[in-house]
Amino acid sequence: TIENNMVGTVLSTDQDDNVFGFASVVNLTTNSSSTCIESLKKICLDKCPQQHKPEMETVLSGKTKRPAGFFFQERMVNVPLEITEVLHQQLVLDM
């Protein structure tokens, strides 16, 4: 379980609880002990080209000067692509 209630935004209507899109960043350092974060790190390292693995390991270790995180974003297919920009802008404001 990741309890990431600090950074994220949801696109929904005022009248009901239907969600049409979302964007969030999960901090690697804060959630480093999470099983799903460990799984995502492993997938990234498994798929990473060999020449970039040392750099990827450094970033995923959480031992960098700036924090690193996984970015998650989704929108329903029939929601206009322009909404993505709004989700990204709001996410930056949340940080």
Side-chain angles (χ1 to χ4, degrees):
T1 301
I2 295 176
E3 297 185 19
N4 183 47
N5 57 5
M6 302 302 248
V7 179
T9 189
V10 174
L11 175 65
S12 64
T13 61
D14 287 336
Q15 290 129 8
D16 51 35
D17 293 331
N18 293 331
V19 174
F20 298 105
F22 75 92
S24 186
V25 175
V26 177
N27 186 301
L28 290 177
T29 306
T30 307
N31 298 289
S32 63
S33 62
S34 169
T35 305
C36 63
I37 292 297
E38 289 299 322
S39 296
L40 287 170
K41 286 179 181 181
K42 183 179 180 330
I43 291 168
C44 288
L45 288 170
D46 289 347
K47 301 292 181 179
C48 184
Q50 195 61 39
Q51 69 267 25
H52 298 296
K53 242 181 205 172
E55 183 180 0
M56 180 64 80
E57 287 172 343
T58 301
V59 170
L60 294 177
S61 73
K63 297 175 183 171
T64 56
K65 291 181 182 179
R66 301 186 73 188
F70 283 113
F71 171 68
F72 297 97
Q73 181 246 297
E74 188 61 61
R75 67 178 172 82
M76 291 182 68
V77 174
N78 60 345
V79 174
L81 184 59
E82 291 80 16
I83 293 300
T84 303
E85 181 181 359
V86 175
L87 284 171
H88 290 187
Q89 290 171 347
Q90 188 60 44
L91 187 61
V92 169
L93 291 174
D94 286 349
M95 289 196 265

